[in-house]
Amino acid sequence: MISRQKYIKELLKRFEMESSKIIDTPIATATLPDMDEPGSIVNETMYRGIIGSLLYLTTSRPNIVFSVGLCARFQSNLKKSHLKAIKRILRYLKGTQDLVIYYPSGDNFDLIGYADTNYVGYLVDRKSTSGMLPLAVLNCQCIF
């Protein structure tokens, strides 16, 4: 079993998000970050610190991979909306600290991965990344 509850608590404390409200989803579906958004510029060092910490956390929390990857694209020319999006992920993690990845014991199990990696609806570059799913697990089945 893989748990990152302690790491998430330390992350929330480091970025002063311990008293924030819990939220149900890591990213809002109606509003996706855009490169040319109006707004004031924010502290890049703090944003990059949060992104780096969350990228480390994605190894054991596949439910935030898309959201963190999306926010990681905006590390220059940051606006308040980008910081708001990354803090939303932290608020989501606060409510899901107790989630773990459980691997059954023994050698005889199959790991099945699902991916929906079509970004054509993404407004920034409309690039599609279909078919890119690195898997380094034996006996793995991918369904696209």
Side-chain angles (χ1 to χ4, degrees):
M1 182 168 42
I2 300 174
S3 173
R4 296 284 189 247
Q5 188 174 16
K6 183 179 176 187
Y7 182 77
I8 293 171
K9 285 182 181 180
E10 291 172 1
L11 187 65
L12 292 169
K13 184 177 182 179
R14 186 169 129 201
F15 295 109
E16 300 173 358
M17 296 287 294
E18 309 153 301
S19 62
S20 62
K21 292 182 182 178
I22 295 171
I23 203 155
D24 293 338
T25 58
I27 195 161
T29 56
T31 57
L32 292 176
D34 191 5
M35 289 218 171
D36 297 325
E37 286 185 14
S40 59
I41 297 174
V42 298
N43 183 354
E44 290 182 11
T45 306
M46 182 180 71
Y47 186 86
R48 289 178 181 164
I50 297 172
I51 287 288
S53 300
L54 291 176
L55 284 171
Y56 170 76
L57 191 59
T58 59
T59 59
S60 60
R61 295 294 299 263
N63 56 338
I64 63 168
V65 170
F66 174 78
S67 305
V68 174
L70 184 66
C71 291
R73 294 180 178 190
F74 304 100
Q75 294 192 44
S76 62
N77 195 23
L78 296 170
K79 305 293 184 195
K80 280 190 178 180
S81 61
H82 301 122
L83 185 61
K84 186 177 177 182
I86 203 75
K87 285 188 174 184
R88 181 182 176 104
I89 299 171
L90 291 173
R91 291 172 55 200
Y92 170 75
L93 288 172
K94 182 179 180 187
T96 59
Q97 295 179 53
D98 55 342
L99 292 181
V100 299
I101 293 181
Y102 175 75
Y103 294 101
S105 62
D107 296 334
N108 197 12
F109 72 93
D110 291 333
L111 180 65
I112 301 173
Y114 299 92
D116 181 12
T117 55
N118 186 358
Y119 295 121
V120 175
Y122 182 55
L123 300 175
V124 174
D125 56 15
R126 295 194 185 270
K127 290 183 180 177
S128 177
T129 56
S130 295
M132 299 178 96
L133 181 63
L135 296 171
V137 180
L138 297 175
N139 298 328
C140 187
Q141 176 184 7
C142 297
I143 300 172
F144 290 98

